[in-house]
Amino acid sequence: MELSIIIPVYNAEKYIRECLDSVINKKYDCEVILVNDGSSDSSLTICEEYSRKDNRIKIINKNNGGVSSARNAGLLHATGRYVMFLDADDYFTEDAFEYIDKYIVK
């Protein structure tokens, strides 16, 4: 596996589905590390739902420490040669992985 995508998740129930759909709907060889940073809404439940659907998704739970702390926790579990961060309220465009591939090949 070449790419680890780390997504810090904190109270992102309104956005996380669109974010995760933009990743799992592409059959790209990657791992997705969701770092639940102490969410108090249904974010963790949504992450667990997606984890059951796609074995590329790993969930890490931690106490709230902020986005940098969550990213660092994700880095400790990343196994890809390359690492990318994506915020829970962002998503990949249709052709994003084509561009990512071009840079990884270089």
Side-chain angles (χ1 to χ4, degrees):
M1 171 181 350
E2 291 284 322
L3 181 64
S4 296
I5 302 170
I6 298 171
I7 305 173
V9 179
Y10 178 74
N11 291 347
E13 67 184 5
K14 294 178 185 176
Y15 316 105
I16 193 67
R17 288 183 189 280
E18 183 177 19
C19 175
L20 293 175
D21 284 340
S22 78
V23 176
I24 69 168
N25 289 339
K26 298 359 173 245
K27 297 303 175 196
Y28 193 80
D29 183 26
C30 64
E31 71 178 346
V32 180
I33 302 171
L34 302 175
V35 183
N36 178 44
D37 193 29
S39 294
S40 59
D41 65 0
S42 64
S43 294
L44 178 58
T45 302
I46 295 167
C47 290
E48 291 170 339
E49 171 191 327
Y50 276 78
S51 177
R52 286 189 297 274
K53 288 189 223 179
D54 193 314
N55 63 1
R56 295 176 293 173
I57 297 176
K58 299 177 188 176
I59 300 172
I60 299 165
N61 287 299
K62 61 179 284 312
N63 292 329
N64 182 260
V67 69
S68 295
S69 172
R71 287 178 176 159
N72 287 333
L75 284 171
L76 293 174
H77 293 86
T79 61
R81 182 173 176 195
Y82 300 97
V83 174
M84 172 177 225
F85 298 108
L86 182 66
D87 291 332
D89 62 347
D90 289 333
Y91 59 89
F92 286 115
T93 60
E94 284 296 318
D95 57 352
F97 287 102
E98 291 174 35
Y99 289 104
I100 292 167
D101 243 359
K102 287 179 187 177
Y103 286 103
I104 286 177
V105 170
K106 283 185 179 180

